[in-house]
Amino acid sequence: MSDRTPRWALAEDADGWWHATPVPPAEGARLRVRDPADAVRAAPPGTRWVWRSTAAVYPRLLAAGARVERCHDIEDAELLLLGHEGRFGEPRSAAAAWARLTHAPVPPDPRPRAAEPRAQDSLFDPQPTPVPLDALLAVHADQVKRLDATAHPDRMRLLTAAESAAFLVAAEMNRAGLPWRADVHRALLTELLGERYAGGGEPRRLAELADRVSAAFGRRVRPELPADVIKAFAEAGIKLKSTRRWEIQELDHPAVEPLLAYKKLYRIYTAHGWSWLADWVHDGRFRPEFIPGGTLTGRWVTNGGGALQIPKVIRRAVVADPGWRLVVADADQMEPRVLAAISRDPAFMEVAGRPEDLYTAVSRQGFSGDRDKAKIAVLGAVYGQTSGDGLKNLAALRRRFPRAVAYVDDAAKAGEEGRLVRTWLGRTCPPPVSAPDDGDGAGDPGGGEAGIPQDGDGDGWTPSYASTNTRARGRFTRNFVVQGSAADWALLLLAALRQATAGMRAELVFFQHDEVIVHCPAEEAEAVVEAIRAAGDRAGRIAFGDTPVRFPFTTAVVECYADAK
């Protein structure tokens, strides 16, 4: 953070008044207002706002037409600092941080608010007990000291500022919403699932498939119930451990084809069917609640709506407004490029800086031009797939890029030994204690490629940092240093893109770990494409310094999201 950036603190009291003051406080400069937007308008342009929680404050400001450039989110900074200090699980609220400073009893964090299936600003939600302005100032001063005491203060300050900026982006995305054509969605559901019967029940196509499954078994079977399916196959002399597609598709039985078709359509029916449409799409917009840093690695999640799991076929309903376009940008081979940057492997950085596909470039370095083998080797190094051919491919990779492979090997060893492991900017993987998996409940898309399993990508394997199996934890920390550092880079990308589009009508409307969508007037599309490219380069320089590594994008300007891939 620049020392020349003006900073103001903003806090609400128990009576609904808002108090603001410069940081450090200046005599006679304290404001007391009913509307926090008045305080924002009174502060100097470019002010970095220090407040309890962006999610609690910024939607109210946006509703009043007040947009801020920068902020310091006290509660997110506290979470990052507690993790860095090895104090996972301690309450991270501003009230808890103040209690620790004053040696008072530390209150537990409020229970996370459950998402409601309707568009609604968080200013209407119940809020925790306000923290007085002076207490907020004291907590902020303490956090500044603790940031200075971290292993790499500049990086940790950068991470804190970048994630605070991400909460601004998330609030703006939540307000803008993803353009969504309800009429297109309804027509699509009828095309895929058939008509709905009066009085409820499954639509025609699902009912027909269910009848075919039952006919194949010679008795009534409910294909939506795994236990019923497993029992039916057992009666036919076929033992199954689960009803996952990969386990069923190779079976020689007449129920397989209609069962797989049923499962595919049933997921659409339950996850993005008519009920989902009625709940989550309003006034032409889908507004999930995006939450930065919601996973252990720093990837985003959504609180409701399953925005990070939109099936490709359903993307046909994501349509730009008339005269507008969707600029859809995917970062190319993001995580391998990040590994090149953080490992400082000279040969790997040189390859990651070439203006061509990374895996093709790697394939010339010991894989006889076989791109698939090179891809499996690189991803195997990141995700710990080292058995069979993976071990042979990894050995070839190690000969060409020893520092890159050693970097993830060292992270795996540290994880196995129970040590703390950090991303490049300082986000910390927890020690091996009981805690939830890294995912958003609906499954993190994970960017799975070439059959390499990743956390929460739906393949049945979720590496857990809490595992009592030391090797499993090593596999997680091996991935954590790369995936987490990639998530850190993405924060800087979003912050840079937000700055670059600030003077446009363009609006960020969607983000997952390697993809961003900007909704903009058609005449701004070319400028947005260039802004994304420049933001990626800038994020790389800010995060990793002056390296040869480049972060290119595959970008499409489309009217419909489904046309981007």
Side-chain angles (χ1 to χ4, degrees):
M1 290 184 283
S2 170
D3 291 336
R4 295 186 296 273
T5 301
R7 298 186 212 174
W8 279 59
L10 180 67
E12 185 181 16
D13 65 24
D15 296 323
W17 287 91
W18 291 82
H19 303 261
T21 188
V23 180
E27 187 174 350
R30 184 170 296 212
L31 300 177
R32 181 174 179 263
V33 294
R34 274 294 183 189
D35 186 346
D38 291 338
V40 169
R41 298 184 183 106
T47 291
R48 185 183 301 278
W49 287 92
V50 177
W51 49 41
R52 176 178 66 80
S53 165
T54 305
V57 178
Y58 196 38
R60 187 187 296 261
L61 297 176
L62 290 173
R67 184 179 186 274
V68 306
E69 293 184 34
R70 303 174 181 87
C71 75
H72 175 94
D73 188 306
I74 288 289
E75 295 189 347
D76 183 65
E78 190 69 12
L79 180 65
L80 293 172
L81 282 165
L82 288 172
H84 197 281
E85 295 159 358
R87 299 161 62 189
F88 288 94
E90 293 190 29
R92 45 77 67 92
S93 70
W98 171 238
R100 280 190 288 266
L101 269 182
T102 57
H103 307 290
V106 177
D109 286 338
R111 291 177 61 85
R113 179 184 56 84
E116 296 185 13
R118 63 179 185 274
Q120 179 171 316
D121 287 333
S122 65
L123 67 153
F124 298 109
D125 299 324
Q127 298 295 328
T129 302
V131 176
L133 182 61
D134 289 337
L136 191 76
L137 289 167
V139 170
H140 175 254
D142 177 66
Q143 289 185 345
V144 170
K145 292 179 182 177
R146 290 157 65 196
L147 287 167
D148 288 341
T150 56
H152 298 281
D154 290 343
R155 295 185 197 174
M156 194 64 183
R157 284 193 291 265
L158 179 60
L159 174 62
T160 303
E163 192 148 278
S164 289
F167 275 93
L168 296 176
V169 173
E172 291 166 1
M173 286 171 53
N174 293 338
R175 184 167 182 83
L178 183 65
W180 202 283
R181 286 279 300 274
D183 59 332
V184 172
H185 192 148
R186 282 191 288 268
L188 179 61
L189 292 175
T190 300
E191 173 189 333
L192 293 172
L193 304 173
E195 305 81 7
R196 288 186 291 176
Y197 294 118
E202 292 182 342
R204 175 181 54 79
R205 178 62 178 149
L206 281 179
E208 291 173 349
L209 288 169
D211 288 343
R212 288 180 57 193
V213 171
S214 294
F217 284 116
R219 69 169 181 85
R220 179 63 179 168
V221 175
R222 297 185 60 183
E224 78 276 16
L225 300 179
D228 207 13
V229 173
I230 291 173
K231 181 180 179 181
F233 273 114
E235 291 171 350
I238 300 173
K239 293 184 178 181
L240 292 178
K241 294 181 179 179
S242 73
T243 59
R244 291 192 175 96
R245 178 181 56 80
W246 59 265
E247 191 170 353
I248 293 175
Q249 64 186 5
E250 302 299 328
L251 299 178
D252 182 14
H253 192 279
V256 170
E257 185 269 328
L259 178 60
L260 291 177
Y262 180 95
K263 286 169 62 67
K264 182 177 180 179
L265 293 179
Y266 186 76
R267 180 171 178 79
I268 292 174
Y269 173 59
T270 56
H272 291 93
W274 289 275
S275 295
W276 180 93
L277 180 61
D279 285 342
W280 291 103
V281 177
H282 303 274
D283 302 321
R285 292 294 186 272
F286 168 39
R287 291 184 175 87
E289 183 181 357
F290 287 96
I291 303 174
T295 69
L296 295 177
T297 57
R299 285 184 176 181
W300 289 33
V301 300
T302 58
N303 184 15
L308 304 186
Q309 292 289 310
I310 302 174
K312 290 184 179 180
V313 66
I314 298 297
R315 294 175 187 177
R316 287 160 56 183
V318 182
V319 180
D321 291 344
W324 286 54
R325 298 293 184 269
L326 299 172
V327 180
V328 183
D330 279 302
D332 298 333
Q333 302 104 28
M334 176 179 68
E335 290 175 0
R337 293 176 187 277
V338 166
L339 175 57
I342 62 180
S343 68
R344 295 305 203 248
D345 186 302
F348 203 23
M349 286 194 294
E350 190 274 330
V351 166
R354 295 180 190 176
E356 63 175 324
D357 175 78
L358 182 141
Y359 299 122
T360 299
V362 170
S363 71
R364 303 193 190 101
Q365 306 288 318
F367 296 93
S368 303
D370 190 325
R371 183 185 183 276
D372 289 341
K373 284 186 178 180
K375 183 175 182 179
I376 291 173
V378 172
L379 295 178
V382 174
Y383 298 110
Q385 301 300 293
T386 57
S387 60
D389 289 342
L391 186 61
K392 179 181 177 181
N393 292 332
L394 182 60
L397 193 75
R398 182 177 281 108
R399 287 193 296 271
R400 297 303 185 273
F401 310 116
R403 290 181 63 176
V405 177
Y407 194 93
V408 289
D409 284 348
D410 290 345
K413 182 179 179 181
E416 291 172 0
E417 294 174 352
R419 291 184 278 137
L420 296 180
V421 177
R422 309 191 199 282
T423 66
W424 181 256
L425 294 186
R427 189 186 307 274
T428 307
C429 176
V433 294
S434 179
D437 289 328
D438 178 12
D440 67 1
D444 185 346
E449 296 181 287
I452 301 295
Q454 300 170 58
D455 53 322
D457 70 355
D459 66 357
W461 176 67
T462 302
S464 172
Y465 76 91
S467 175
T468 56
N469 183 316
T470 58
R471 185 172 180 273
R473 184 170 190 272
R475 292 177 71 187
F476 180 82
T477 53
R478 170 189 291 273
N479 172 237
F480 177 86
V481 295
V482 180
Q483 189 181 100
S485 296
D488 295 347
W489 169 83
L491 297 175
L492 294 166
L493 162 73
L494 291 173
L497 182 57
R498 179 176 183 262
Q499 289 182 350
T501 57
M504 304 182 189
R505 295 171 66 195
E507 51 191 15
L508 277 73
V509 294
F510 182 82
F511 171 71
Q512 58 182 350
H513 76 285
D514 62 354
E515 180 181 67
V516 63
I517 300 180
V518 178
H519 186 224
C520 66
E523 61 271 18
E524 290 183 355
E526 289 188 12
V528 169
V529 170
E530 173 57 25
I532 292 172
R533 184 204 63 76
D537 288 345
R538 185 182 178 193
R541 290 193 303 272
I542 295 173
F544 310 120
D546 187 14
T547 75
V549 180
R550 293 295 174 263
F551 295 90
F553 289 84
T554 296
T555 306
V557 179
V558 296
E559 293 184 47
C560 174
Y561 185 18
D563 294 335
K565 297 180 180 179

